[in-house]
Amino acid sequence: MFPFRRKDDIYCRPQTGASVTSVQFTWLEMVWMVVVSLSYLLGYAIQISIVVDKYTQEEPPDNCSLYLVFFLLPHLAAGLKNLQYHYREAREEEGEDGAKEWIITILFLPFSPLIRFARAWKFGIGEKDNWEDGIRYVDEMVTVGVLRLFEVFLGDGPTICLLLRDDVWGRSVDWKEYVQGPQDILRCGPQCNLQPQNPIEFWTIFRMIFLLSKMAQCVTFYLVIVKRLQHLQQPEYFHHLSNSNSRQGRLNFFATLILYAAHFFFIGSRVTGYSMVGTACGAWVYFIIGAHWLVNTCWHLVSVVSSNGLTPARSLSSLVVGGVWLIALTNEQGGRQLGRFILYYMMAFFETVVCGYLWNTAMAGSGDFFAYKASWFLLVILMMGIVLQIVYYSVCHPSKPSFSKEGLNCCSGDRRGAADSQQHSTL
């Protein structure tokens, strides 16, 4: 998942001996950094407002404290990960171990992506005087992507599941009024004006859509920027590509939008299914998530053993990656991808069927507004995500995927297999 070069588990910068003929930090990167920074800060503010809103209600929802846990935990985890990165950098680079840098890293630990954004901005501006700073800019942005994956996997995903439980499935009568209007027309005279008892407000919908959009943006950002770093690390694998942007691993706006939309719907299907099971069947959701997490972790461990060998650090990395894969496949090592994607989406489809079955079994005969609609909605958004992913790899992928007897080949000129990608470590 995390394509940093390592030697004896020590973090290393990508090799920079090859000549660089393109600028890494352009005005588009400036705009992108501003957009991502604002998204991060707005997401932070929305999560705080959600916690405050739930705790100030007259009747707080069940397990209200989970909102606070899923707000604090991801930022703390990302901050500790950033502290680990800073420690490694301090051992390898002069000037990174000063007291000022340590104070900033510790003081702003809950806002660790902002520290990395500042470093990336510094390296990007410095590219005018030193081209190696352009590579370091890309490297810093990959680190930002890793830290934000911690946040969306540990924080935004569980928070959306809780919001769906409390504000959608738990308010089915209010949503029925929102869609169909008040139902007591027969009891009302011709001149009366019926109003919903508990109207669905814009804020109720907006915060769920925004957090889901933020999750899709974070995953898309990581995949796009890590592709850039891979092309910088191993440019010899991409000389066969005719387009200069493809050789650099850059996506155009349309391709990025398609990739974002694919993850928006796919992640939406994951959190929808988990929230449905959590609402209707309670503890069953922990079994489903735990089983899927275990499968993902074992899958990633197998790939680590076949390439780099097994160490405690990589084992912990596989545990984290297994959790991230609950919402998106981020294994972008190149080579034989078709089998990898087929296996991943088969597991996702099977998980969707299980979630829909448990929901239908629990809600059968209840008369709930979502009793039959929820399962169809879950299946539709899953299929939309898969179709958009197929469109992306068919017409938008920068490395021109092609079919062969080895599967769907992409991302490399010599079509190397996953087992040969030893330069890509996992943490």
Side-chain angles (χ1 to χ4, degrees), residues 80-154:
L80 292 175
K81 187 63 183 176
N82 184 54
L83 196 62
Q84 179 192 17
Y85 284 148
H86 184 75
Y87 172 71
R88 290 173 174 174
E89 292 159 358
R91 294 175 57 185
E92 298 164 11
E93 302 176 17
E94 295 182 2
E96 298 291 341
D97 57 347
K100 179 181 178 181
E101 287 75 15
W102 278 105
I103 291 174
I104 291 176
T105 302
I106 295 174
L107 186 63
F108 289 92
L109 188 141
F111 305 92
S112 56
L114 292 181
I115 301 175
R116 293 292 168 173
F117 274 126
R119 285 171 56 88
W121 188 275
K122 179 185 70 173
F123 289 131
I125 297 298
E127 186 182 20
K128 295 180 180 179
D129 302 319
N130 181 8
W131 63 266
E132 290 187 356
D133 281 348
I135 298 179
R136 298 188 70 182
Y137 158 77
V138 177
D139 189 29
E140 285 294 333
M141 293 298 277
V142 172
T143 304
V144 171
V146 172
L147 298 180
R148 298 192 76 204
L149 283 180
F150 273 82
E151 294 179 353
V152 301
F153 143 61
L154 289 173

Coordinates of all heavy atoms in Angstrom, one line a residue, residues 80-154:
L80 N 0.5 10.1 15.5 CA 1.5 9.2 15.9 C 2.3 8.6 14.7 O 3.5 8.4 14.7 CB 0.9 8.0 16.7 CG 0.3 8.4 18.1 CD1 -0.3 7.3 18.7 CD2 1.4 9.0 19.0
K81 N 1.6 8.4 13.6 CA 2.2 7.9 12.4 C 3.2 9.0 11.8 O 4.3 8.7 11.4 CB 1.2 7.5 11.3 CG 1.8 6.9 10.1 CD 2.5 5.6 10.5 CE 3.2 4.9 9.3 NZ 3.9 3.7 9.6
N82 N 2.7 10.2 11.9 CA 3.6 11.3 11.4 C 4.8 11.5 12.3 O 5.9 11.8 11.9 CB 2.8 12.6 11.4 CG 3.6 13.8 10.9 OD1 4.1 13.7 9.8 ND2 3.6 14.9 11.6
L83 N 4.6 11.2 13.6 CA 5.7 11.3 14.6 C 6.8 10.2 14.2 O 8.0 10.5 14.3 CB 5.2 11.1 16.0 CG 6.2 11.5 17.1 CD1 6.5 13.0 17.1 CD2 5.5 11.2 18.5
Q84 N 6.3 9.1 13.8 CA 7.2 8.0 13.4 C 8.0 8.4 12.1 O 9.2 8.2 12.0 CB 6.4 6.7 13.1 CG 7.3 5.6 12.6 CD 6.5 4.4 12.1 OE1 5.3 4.6 11.8 NE2 7.1 3.2 12.0
Y85 N 7.3 9.0 11.2 CA 7.9 9.5 10.0 C 9.0 10.5 10.3 O 10.1 10.5 9.7 CB 6.9 10.1 9.0 CG 6.1 9.1 8.3 CD1 4.8 9.4 7.9 CD2 6.6 7.9 7.9 CE1 4.0 8.5 7.2 CE2 5.8 6.9 7.2 CZ 4.5 7.3 6.8 OH 3.7 6.4 6.2
H86 N 8.6 11.5 11.2 CA 9.6 12.5 11.6 C 10.8 11.9 12.2 O 12.0 12.4 12.0 CB 8.9 13.5 12.5 CG 9.8 14.7 12.8 ND1 10.1 15.7 11.9 CD2 10.5 15.0 13.9 CE1 10.9 16.6 12.5 NE2 11.2 16.2 13.7
Y87 N 10.7 10.9 13.0 CA 11.8 10.3 13.7 C 12.7 9.7 12.7 O 14.0 9.8 12.8 CB 11.3 9.2 14.7 CG 12.4 8.4 15.3 CD1 13.3 8.9 16.2 CD2 12.5 7.0 14.9 CE1 14.3 8.1 16.8 CE2 13.5 6.2 15.4 CZ 14.4 6.8 16.4 OH 15.4 6.0 16.9
R88 N 12.2 9.0 11.7 CA 13.0 8.4 10.7 C 13.7 9.5 9.9 O 14.9 9.3 9.5 CB 12.1 7.5 9.7 CG 11.6 6.3 10.4 CD 10.6 5.6 9.5 NE 10.2 4.3 10.0 CZ 9.3 3.5 9.5 NH1 8.7 3.9 8.4 NH2 9.0 2.3 10.1
E89 N 13.0 10.5 9.5 CA 13.6 11.6 8.8 C 14.8 12.3 9.6 O 15.8 12.7 9.0 CB 12.6 12.6 8.3 CG 11.6 12.1 7.3 CD 10.3 12.8 7.3 OE1 10.2 13.8 8.1 OE2 9.4 12.5 6.5
A90 N 14.5 12.4 10.9 CA 15.6 13.1 11.7 C 16.8 12.2 11.7 O 17.9 12.8 11.9 CB 15.0 13.2 13.1
R91 N 16.7 10.9 11.6 CA 17.9 10.0 11.6 C 18.6 10.1 10.3 O 19.8 9.8 10.2 CB 17.5 8.6 11.9 CG 16.9 8.4 13.3 CD 16.4 7.0 13.5 NE 17.4 6.0 13.2 CZ 17.2 4.7 13.1 NH1 16.0 4.2 13.4 NH2 18.2 3.8 12.9
E92 N 17.9 10.5 9.2 CA 18.5 10.4 7.9 C 18.9 11.7 7.3 O 19.8 11.7 6.4 CB 17.5 9.7 6.9 CG 17.2 8.3 7.3 CD 15.9 7.8 6.6 OE1 15.5 8.5 5.7 OE2 15.4 6.7 7.0
E93 N 18.3 12.8 7.7 CA 18.6 14.1 7.1 C 19.0 15.1 8.1 O 18.4 15.2 9.2 CB 17.3 14.6 6.4 CG 16.8 13.6 5.4 CD 15.5 14.1 4.8 OE1 15.2 15.3 5.0 OE2 14.7 13.3 4.2
E94 N 20.0 15.9 7.8 CA 20.5 16.9 8.7 C 19.4 18.0 8.7 O 18.9 18.4 7.6 CB 21.8 17.5 8.2 CG 22.9 16.5 8.3 CD 24.3 17.1 7.8 OE1 24.3 18.3 7.5 OE2 25.3 16.3 7.8
G95 N 19.2 18.6 9.8 CA 18.3 19.7 9.9 C 16.9 19.3 10.2 O 16.0 20.2 10.5
E96 N 16.6 18.0 10.2 CA 15.2 17.6 10.5 C 15.0 17.2 12.0 O 13.9 16.9 12.4 CB 14.9 16.3 9.7 CG 14.9 16.6 8.2 CD 13.8 17.5 7.7 OE1 12.8 17.6 8.4 OE2 13.9 18.0 6.6
D97 N 16.1 17.2 12.8 CA 16.0 16.8 14.2 C 16.2 18.0 15.1 O 16.4 17.8 16.3 CB 17.1 15.8 14.5 CG 18.5 16.3 14.2 OD1 18.6 17.3 13.5 OD2 19.5 15.6 14.6
G98 N 16.0 19.2 14.6 CA 16.1 20.4 15.5 C 14.9 20.4 16.5 O 13.8 19.8 16.3
A99 N 15.1 21.2 17.6 CA 14.1 21.3 18.6 C 12.8 21.9 18.0 O 11.7 21.5 18.4 CB 14.6 22.1 19.8
K100 N 12.9 22.9 17.1 CA 11.8 23.5 16.6 C 10.9 22.5 15.8 O 9.6 22.6 16.0 CB 12.2 24.7 15.6 CG 11.0 25.4 15.0 CD 11.6 26.5 14.0 CE 10.4 27.2 13.3 NZ 10.9 28.3 12.4
E101 N 11.5 21.7 15.0 CA 10.8 20.7 14.2 C 10.0 19.7 15.1 O 8.9 19.3 14.9 CB 11.7 20.0 13.2 CG 12.1 20.8 12.1 CD 13.2 21.8 12.4 OE1 13.8 21.7 13.5 OE2 13.5 22.7 11.6
W102 N 10.7 19.3 16.2 CA 10.1 18.3 17.1 C 8.9 19.0 17.9 O 7.9 18.4 18.0 CB 11.1 17.8 18.1 CG 12.0 16.7 17.6 CD1 13.3 16.8 17.2 CD2 11.6 15.4 17.4 NE1 13.7 15.6 16.8 CE2 12.7 14.7 16.9 CE3 10.4 14.7 17.6 CZ2 12.6 13.3 16.6 CZ3 10.3 13.3 17.3 CH2 11.4 12.7 16.8
I103 N 9.1 20.2 18.3 CA 8.0 20.9 19.0 C 6.8 21.1 18.1 O 5.6 20.8 18.5 CB 8.5 22.3 19.5 CG1 9.5 22.1 20.6 CG2 7.3 23.1 20.0 CD1 10.2 23.4 21.0
I104 N 7.0 21.5 16.8 CA 5.9 21.6 15.9 C 5.2 20.3 15.6 O 4.0 20.2 15.7 CB 6.4 22.2 14.5 CG1 6.8 23.6 14.7 CG2 5.3 22.1 13.5 CD1 7.5 24.3 13.5
T105 N 6.0 19.2 15.5 CA 5.4 17.9 15.2 C 4.6 17.4 16.4 O 3.5 16.8 16.2 CB 6.5 16.9 14.9 OG1 7.3 17.3 13.8 CG2 6.0 15.5 14.6
I106 N 5.0 17.6 17.6 CA 4.3 17.2 18.8 C 3.1 18.1 19.1 O 2.0 17.6 19.4 CB 5.3 17.1 20.0 CG1 6.3 16.0 19.7 CG2 4.5 16.8 21.3 CD1 7.4 16.0 20.8
L107 N 3.3 19.4 19.0 CA 2.3 20.4 19.3 C 1.1 20.2 18.3 O -0.1 20.3 18.8 CB 2.8 21.8 19.3 CG 1.9 22.9 19.7 CD1 1.5 22.7 21.2 CD2 2.6 24.3 19.5
F108 N 1.4 20.0 17.1 CA 0.3 19.9 16.1 C 0.0 18.5 15.7 O -0.4 18.2 14.6 CB 0.7 20.7 14.8 CG 0.7 22.2 15.0 CD1 1.8 22.9 15.4 CD2 -0.5 22.9 14.8 CE1 1.8 24.2 15.5 CE2 -0.5 24.3 15.0 CZ 0.7 24.9 15.3
L109 N 0.3 17.6 16.6 CA 0.0 16.1 16.4 C -1.4 15.8 15.9 O -1.5 15.0 15.0 CB 0.4 15.3 17.7 CG 0.4 13.8 17.5 CD1 1.5 13.2 18.3 CD2 -0.9 13.2 18.0
P110 N -2.4 16.5 16.5 CA -3.8 16.2 16.0 C -4.0 16.7 14.6 O -5.0 16.4 14.0 CB -4.7 16.8 17.0 CG -3.9 17.1 18.2 CD -2.5 17.3 17.7
F111 N -3.1 17.6 14.1 CA -3.3 18.2 12.7 C -2.1 17.8 11.8 O -1.6 18.7 11.1 CB -3.4 19.7 12.9 CG -4.5 20.2 13.8 CD1 -4.2 20.5 15.1 CD2 -5.8 20.4 13.3 CE1 -5.2 20.9 16.0 CE2 -6.8 20.8 14.2 CZ -6.5 21.1 15.5
S112 N -1.7 16.6 11.9 CA -0.4 16.2 11.3 C -0.4 16.4 9.7 O 0.6 16.8 9.2 CB -0.1 14.7 11.6 OG -1.2 13.9 11.2
P113 N -1.6 16.2 9.0 CA -1.5 16.5 7.6 C -1.2 18.0 7.3 O -0.5 18.2 6.2 CB -3.0 16.2 7.1 CG -3.4 15.2 8.1 CD -2.8 15.6 9.4
L114 N -1.5 18.9 8.1 CA -1.2 20.3 7.9 C 0.3 20.5 7.9 O 0.9 21.3 7.2 CB -1.9 21.2 8.9 CG -3.4 21.3 8.8 CD1 -3.9 22.3 9.9 CD2 -3.8 21.8 7.4
I115 N 1.0 19.8 8.8 CA 2.5 19.9 8.9 C 3.1 19.4 7.6 O 4.0 20.0 7.0 CB 3.0 19.0 10.0 CG1 2.4 19.6 11.4 CG2 4.5 19.1 10.1 CD1 2.8 18.7 12.6
R116 N 2.6 18.3 7.0 CA 3.1 17.8 5.8 C 2.7 18.7 4.6 O 3.5 18.8 3.6 CB 2.5 16.3 5.6 CG 3.1 15.4 6.6 CD 4.5 15.1 6.4 NE 5.2 14.4 7.5 CZ 6.4 14.0 7.5 NH1 7.2 14.2 6.4 NH2 6.9 13.4 8.5
F117 N 1.5 19.3 4.6 CA 1.2 20.2 3.6 C 2.2 21.4 3.5 O 2.6 21.8 2.5 CB -0.2 20.7 3.8 CG -1.3 19.9 3.2 CD1 -2.4 19.4 4.0 CD2 -1.3 19.5 1.9 CE1 -3.4 18.6 3.4 CE2 -2.3 18.7 1.3 CZ -3.3 18.3 2.1
A118 N 2.5 21.9 4.7 CA 3.5 23.0 4.8 C 4.9 22.5 4.2 O 5.5 23.3 3.5 CB 3.6 23.4 6.2
R119 N 5.3 21.3 4.6 CA 6.6 20.8 4.1 C 6.5 20.6 2.5 O 7.5 21.0 1.8 CB 6.9 19.5 4.7 CG 7.4 19.7 6.2 CD 7.6 18.3 6.8 NE 8.4 17.4 6.1 CZ 9.7 17.3 6.2 NH1 10.4 18.1 7.1 NH2 10.4 16.4 5.5
A120 N 5.4 20.1 2.1 CA 5.2 19.9 0.6 C 5.3 21.2 -0.1 O 5.9 21.4 -1.2 CB 3.9 19.2 0.3
W121 N 4.6 22.2 0.5 CA 4.6 23.6 -0.2 C 6.0 24.1 -0.2 O 6.4 24.7 -1.2 CB 3.7 24.5 0.6 CG 3.5 25.8 0.0 CD1 4.2 26.9 0.1 CD2 2.4 26.2 -0.8 NE1 3.7 28.0 -0.7 CE2 2.6 27.5 -1.2 CE3 1.2 25.5 -1.3 CZ2 1.7 28.2 -2.1 CZ3 0.4 26.1 -2.1 CH2 0.6 27.5 -2.5
K122 N 6.8 23.9 0.8 CA 8.2 24.4 0.9 C 9.0 23.7 -0.2 O 9.7 24.4 -0.9 CB 8.8 24.2 2.2 CG 10.2 24.6 2.4 CD 10.8 24.2 3.7 CE 11.0 22.7 3.8 NZ 11.7 22.3 5.1
F123 N 8.9 22.4 -0.3 CA 9.6 21.7 -1.4 C 9.2 22.1 -2.8 O 10.0 22.2 -3.7 CB 9.5 20.2 -1.2 CG 10.3 19.7 0.1 CD1 9.7 18.9 1.0 CD2 11.6 20.1 0.3 CE1 10.4 18.4 2.1 CE2 12.3 19.7 1.4 CZ 11.7 18.8 2.3
G124 N 7.9 22.3 -2.9 CA 7.4 22.7 -4.2 C 7.9 24.0 -4.7 O 8.3 24.2 -5.9
I125 N 7.9 25.0 -3.8 CA 8.4 26.3 -4.1 C 9.9 26.2 -4.4 O 10.5 26.9 -5.3 CB 8.2 27.3 -3.0 CG1 6.6 27.5 -2.8 CG2 8.8 28.6 -3.3 CD1 6.0 28.1 -4.0
G126 N 10.6 25.3 -3.7 CA 12.1 25.2 -3.8 C 12.5 24.5 -5.1 O 13.7 24.5 -5.4
E127 N 11.5 23.9 -5.8 CA 11.9 23.2 -7.0 C 12.5 24.1 -8.1 O 13.3 23.7 -8.9 CB 10.7 22.5 -7.6 CG 11.0 21.6 -8.8 CD 9.7 21.0 -9.4 OE1 8.6 21.5 -9.1 OE2 9.9 19.9 -10.1
K128 N 12.2 25.4 -8.0 CA 12.7 26.4 -9.0 C 14.3 26.4 -8.9 O 15.0 26.7 -9.9 CB 12.2 27.8 -8.7 CG 10.7 27.9 -9.0 CD 10.2 29.3 -8.7 CE 8.7 29.4 -9.0 NZ 8.1 30.7 -8.7
D129 N 14.8 26.2 -7.7 CA 16.2 26.3 -7.5 C 16.9 24.9 -7.4 O 18.1 24.8 -7.7 CB 16.5 27.0 -6.1 CG 15.9 28.4 -6.1 OD1 16.0 29.1 -7.2 OD2 15.4 28.8 -5.1
N130 N 16.1 23.9 -7.1 CA 16.7 22.5 -6.9 C 15.6 21.5 -7.4 O 14.6 21.3 -6.7 CB 17.1 22.3 -5.5 CG 17.7 20.9 -5.3 OD1 18.0 20.2 -6.3 ND2 18.0 20.5 -4.1
W131 N 15.9 20.8 -8.5 CA 14.9 19.9 -9.1 C 14.6 18.8 -8.2 O 13.5 18.2 -8.2 CB 15.3 19.4 -10.5 CG 16.6 18.6 -10.5 CD1 17.8 19.0 -10.7 CD2 16.6 17.2 -10.2 NE1 18.7 18.0 -10.6 CE2 18.0 16.8 -10.3 CE3 15.7 16.2 -9.9 CZ2 18.5 15.5 -10.1 CZ3 16.2 14.9 -9.8 CH2 17.5 14.6 -9.9
E132 N 15.5 18.4 -7.3 CA 15.2 17.3 -6.4 C 14.1 17.7 -5.4 O 13.4 16.8 -4.9 CB 16.5 17.0 -5.6 CG 17.6 16.3 -6.4 CD 18.7 15.8 -5.6 OE1 18.7 16.1 -4.4 OE2 19.6 15.2 -6.2
D133 N 13.9 18.9 -5.1 CA 12.8 19.3 -4.2 C 11.5 19.0 -4.9 O 10.5 18.8 -4.2 CB 12.9 20.8 -3.9 CG 13.9 21.1 -2.8 OD1 14.4 20.2 -2.2 OD2 14.3 22.3 -2.6
G134 N 11.4 19.0 -6.2 CA 10.1 18.6 -6.8 C 9.8 17.1 -6.5 O 8.6 16.8 -6.3
I135 N 10.8 16.2 -6.5 CA 10.6 14.9 -6.1 C 10.2 14.8 -4.6 O 9.3 14.0 -4.3 CB 11.8 14.0 -6.4 CG1 12.1 14.0 -7.9 CG2 11.6 12.6 -5.9 CD1 13.4 13.3 -8.3
R136 N 10.8 15.6 -3.8 CA 10.5 15.5 -2.4 C 9.1 16.1 -2.2 O 8.4 15.7 -1.2 CB 11.5 16.4 -1.6 CG 12.9 15.8 -1.7 CD 13.9 16.5 -0.7 NE 13.6 16.2 0.7 CZ 14.2 16.8 1.7 NH1 15.2 17.6 1.5 NH2 13.9 16.4 2.9
Y137 N 8.7 17.0 -3.0 CA 7.3 17.5 -3.0 C 6.3 16.3 -3.2 O 5.3 16.2 -2.4 CB 7.0 18.6 -4.0 CG 5.6 18.7 -4.4 CD1 4.7 19.4 -3.5 CD2 5.1 18.2 -5.6 CE1 3.3 19.5 -3.9 CE2 3.7 18.3 -5.9 CZ 2.9 19.0 -5.0 OH 1.6 19.1 -5.4
V138 N 6.5 15.5 -4.2 CA 5.7 14.4 -4.5 C 5.7 13.4 -3.3 O 4.7 12.9 -2.9 CB 6.1 13.7 -5.8 CG1 5.2 12.5 -6.0 CG2 5.9 14.7 -7.0
D139 N 6.9 13.2 -2.8 CA 7.1 12.3 -1.6 C 6.3 12.7 -0.4 O 5.6 11.9 0.3 CB 8.6 12.2 -1.3 CG 8.8 11.1 -0.3 OD1 8.1 10.1 -0.3 OD2 9.8 11.2 0.5
E140 N 6.3 14.0 -0.1 CA 5.6 14.6 1.0 C 4.1 14.5 0.8 O 3.3 14.2 1.7 CB 5.9 16.1 1.2 CG 7.3 16.3 1.8 CD 7.3 15.8 3.3 OE1 6.3 15.8 3.9 OE2 8.4 15.5 3.7
M141 N 3.6 14.6 -0.4 CA 2.2 14.5 -0.7 C 1.7 13.1 -0.6 O 0.6 12.8 -0.2 CB 1.9 15.0 -2.1 CG 2.1 16.5 -2.3 SD 1.0 17.5 -1.2 CE -0.5 17.6 -2.2
V142 N 2.6 12.1 -0.9 CA 2.2 10.7 -0.6 C 2.1 10.5 0.9 O 1.2 9.8 1.3 CB 3.3 9.8 -1.2 CG1 3.0 8.3 -0.8 CG2 3.3 9.8 -2.7
T143 N 3.0 11.1 1.7 CA 2.9 11.0 3.1 C 1.6 11.6 3.6 O 0.9 11.0 4.5 CB 4.1 11.6 3.8 OG1 5.3 11.1 3.3 CG2 4.0 11.5 5.3
V144 N 1.2 12.7 3.0 CA -0.1 13.3 3.4 C -1.2 12.3 3.1 O -2.2 12.1 3.9 CB -0.3 14.6 2.6 CG1 -1.8 15.1 2.8 CG2 0.6 15.7 3.1
G145 N -1.1 11.7 1.9 CA -2.2 10.7 1.5 C -2.3 9.6 2.5 O -3.4 9.1 2.9
V146 N -1.1 9.1 3.0 CA -1.1 8.0 4.0 C -1.8 8.4 5.3 O -2.7 7.7 5.8 CB 0.3 7.5 4.3 CG1 0.3 6.5 5.4 CG2 0.9 6.9 3.0
L147 N -1.4 9.6 5.8 CA -2.0 10.1 7.0 C -3.5 10.3 6.9 O -4.3 10.0 7.8 CB -1.4 11.4 7.4 CG 0.2 11.4 7.7 CD1 0.7 12.8 8.0 CD2 0.5 10.4 8.8
R148 N -4.0 10.8 5.7 CA -5.4 11.0 5.6 C -6.2 9.7 5.4 O -7.3 9.6 5.8 CB -5.7 11.9 4.4 CG -5.1 13.3 4.5 CD -5.6 14.2 3.5 NE -6.9 14.7 3.8 CZ -7.8 15.1 2.8 NH1 -7.4 15.2 1.6 NH2 -9.0 15.5 3.2
L149 N -5.5 8.6 4.9 CA -6.1 7.3 4.9 C -6.4 6.8 6.3 O -7.4 6.2 6.5 CB -5.2 6.3 4.1 CG -5.2 6.4 2.6 CD1 -4.3 5.3 2.0 CD2 -6.6 6.2 2.0
F150 N -5.5 7.1 7.2 CA -5.7 6.7 8.6 C -7.0 7.4 9.1 O -7.8 6.8 9.8 CB -4.6 7.2 9.5 CG -3.5 6.2 9.6 CD1 -2.5 6.1 8.6 CD2 -3.4 5.3 10.6 CE1 -1.5 5.1 8.7 CE2 -2.4 4.4 10.7 CZ -1.4 4.3 9.8
E151 N -7.2 8.7 8.7 CA -8.3 9.4 9.2 C -9.6 8.9 8.6 O -10.6 8.7 9.4 CB -8.1 10.9 8.9 CG -7.0 11.5 9.7 CD -6.8 13.0 9.3 OE1 -7.5 13.5 8.4 OE2 -6.0 13.6 10.0
V152 N -9.7 8.7 7.3 CA -11.0 8.3 6.7 C -11.3 6.9 7.1 O -12.5 6.5 7.3 CB -10.9 8.4 5.2 CG1 -10.7 9.9 4.8 CG2 -9.9 7.5 4.5
F153 N -10.3 6.0 7.3 CA -10.6 4.6 7.6 C -11.0 4.5 9.1 O -11.9 3.7 9.4 CB -9.3 3.8 7.3 CG -9.0 2.7 8.2 CD1 -9.9 1.6 8.5 CD2 -7.8 2.6 8.9 CE1 -9.6 0.6 9.3 CE2 -7.5 1.6 9.8 CZ -8.4 0.6 10.0
L154 N -10.4 5.2 10.0 CA -10.7 5.1 11.4 C -11.8 6.1 11.9 O -12.4 5.8 12.9 CB -9.4 5.4 12.2 CG -8.3 4.3 12.2 CD1 -7.1 4.8 12.9 CD2 -8.8 3.0 12.8

